[in-house]
Amino acid sequence: QKEGYRFFMEKEIYEQADVLADTLRGRVLDTGIEFDELDENLFDGISEIKLCACGTSYHAALTSSYLFERLAKIKSSVEIASEFRYKEPLLTKDTLFLAISQSGETADTLEALKMAKQAGLKTLSICNVDNSSIVRLSDASILTRAGIEKGVASTKAFATQVAVLWMLSLYVAQFKKSLDTKELQNELHTLREVPNVTVIKDAIHEKTKRLAKRYLHGHGFFFIGRDVFYPLALEGALKLKEISYLHAEGYPAGEMKHGPIALADPELFTIALLSENLLFEKTKSNMEELGARDSTICCVSSYMYDKADDFIVLPKCNHYMLEFYEMMTATQLLAMEIAIKLENDVDMPRNLAKSVTVE
Ligand code: F6R
């Protein structure tokens, strides 16, 4: 049932626009965000959201922590579930515990959720599988509507998790009245654009195929970005390492000088996620620093940076979250094309399982 695609991962990358449209349906209304599954007073008495997840779902959580603070003006912290379980966290009842999991069965996330419940916290989950253990255990849950994800490397589940989390941050913003009508309308309008910008453009896919021919020889990769593009850099690096088995690290662009730039040489490929809408100058100068130390730079941006060695040129748009989705598909395709050129089994990478139900 690959329907002409070479791998399920490819099919799932191409499905993202449709599943995003499904995930938004009935939730993004003209006047605001609605979640039928949520009780109106879920956020009563809540002053902090603690997000907890593993792997790609953790990257979705990290992305949303920028949105919760920026849009909803609510404190948010993000925990890797396997760390949270053993750090003896201090939990207070004004915290909402939010578990994020595609499968709803990840052992560490499930156990973390149990701990939060035992501490008397209100719990919410965002999952892709209805009636999964995490859904059943949480007080409330919101389903992503990504459909069954077969590729071990998560793509469409991540896309929908970020969309639900963004909607949730607007839902909290409504509750807390932290955005004025115009700001809220702008966010709603932008959300509706997400499926469109996530449709795969032939030119971009072709470009990633061309780049893959050279990049498969890379000795190491940095993915760099700031703000929401930092978790996206982590996710881009994770995708690449999972299926290509090449060494890749995601970094906040501003961290380079604090150590990693020592690795820069022409065999180090830097995938720079350069937003034109958010922290453009700052990120550009971090990219230039790496270029000046001879790292090979691939600039993923709607901005044509003439000093980069390579480009993936994205369509212009006027909101950083639309750039986020454009860059997300570009980095997914790049990882997949490199792995295909290396003749790896993209859907079943070595040493990995789709669902991690043991610790
Ligand atoms: C990466 C990937 C994993 C999962 C992680 C959590 O592509 O799929 O990192 O994101 O194992 O799984 P869920 O979301 O099912 O809890």
Side-chain angles (χ1 to χ4, degrees), residues 223-277:
F223 285 71
I224 61 165
R226 284 176 176 256
D227 202 278
V228 292
F229 304 101
Y230 159 51
L232 188 60
L234 293 176
E235 175 59 10
L238 180 64
K239 284 296 84 95
L240 185 62
K241 65 185 119 179
E242 281 186 287
I243 57 175
S244 74
Y245 320 136
L246 294 171
H247 184 218
E249 296 298 333
Y251 265 107
E255 270 291 295
M256 287 295 115
K257 289 197 231 15
H258 302 287
I261 203 164
L263 292 174
D265 71 21
E267 301 304 315
L268 176 83
F269 291 84
T270 297
I271 314 294
L273 307 180
L274 178 64
S275 162
E276 285 205 270
N277 291 291

Side-chain angles (χ1 to χ4, degrees), residues 191-219:
L191 258 169
R192 284 189 212 100
E193 286 296 306
V194 165
N196 292 337
V197 302
T198 312
V199 172
I200 304 300
K201 319 271 178 306
D202 287 346
I204 292 178
H205 195 166
E206 288 308 315
K207 178 76 198 211
T208 62
K209 287 181 185 170
R210 287 198 297 279
L211 286 175
K213 280 189 201 148
R214 277 194 300 118
Y215 280 36
L216 61 90
H217 302 296
H219 292 178

Side-chain angles (χ1 to χ4, degrees), residues 54-57 101-104 106 152-154 161 238-239 242 356:
C54 302
T56 288
S57 299
S101 173
Q102 186 283 128
S103 61
T106 299
V152 165
S154 179
Q161 285 169 340
L238 180 64
K239 284 296 84 95
E242 281 186 287
V356 185

Side-chain angles (χ1 to χ4, degrees), residues 105-255:
E105 302 297 344
T106 299
D108 281 320
T109 312
L110 181 61
E111 291 305 318
L113 175 64
K114 286 183 191 160
M115 274 173 61
K117 282 201 82 142
Q118 262 156 22
L121 267 54
K122 278 195 201 173
T123 59
L124 173 63
S125 61
I126 295 176
C127 290
N128 194 40
V129 180
D130 197 6
N131 210 29
S132 56
S133 303
I134 290 175
V135 167
R136 276 181 283 138
L137 196 71
S138 22
D139 299 326
S141 60
I142 305 175
L143 291 177
T144 49
R145 299 171 184 155
I148 295 171
E149 192 178 57
K150 290 213 167 130
V152 165
S154 179
T155 52
K156 61 178 182 167
F158 174 73
T160 56
Q161 285 169 340
V162 172
V164 167
L165 285 159
W166 180 7
M167 286 190 275
L168 188 64
S169 71
L170 295 174
Y171 183 85
V172 179
Q174 285 163 198
F175 179 81
K176 296 194 46 157
K177 303 189 175 31
S178 58
L179 293 178
D180 64 30
T181 314
K182 201 165 150 249
E183 289 166 328
L184 180 63
Q185 282 301 329
N186 182 40
E187 291 294 313
L188 297 173
H189 172 76
T190 311
L191 258 169
R192 284 189 212 100
E193 286 296 306
V194 165
N196 292 337
V197 302
T198 312
V199 172
I200 304 300
K201 319 271 178 306
D202 287 346
I204 292 178
H205 195 166
E206 288 308 315
K207 178 76 198 211
T208 62
K209 287 181 185 170
R210 287 198 297 279
L211 286 175
K213 280 189 201 148
R214 277 194 300 118
Y215 280 36
L216 61 90
H217 302 296
H219 292 178
F221 289 82
F222 278 167
F223 285 71
I224 61 165
R226 284 176 176 256
D227 202 278
V228 292
F229 304 101
Y230 159 51
L232 188 60
L234 293 176
E235 175 59 10
L238 180 64
K239 284 296 84 95
L240 185 62
K241 65 185 119 179
E242 281 186 287
I243 57 175
S244 74
Y245 320 136
L246 294 171
H247 184 218
E249 296 298 333
Y251 265 107
E255 270 291 295

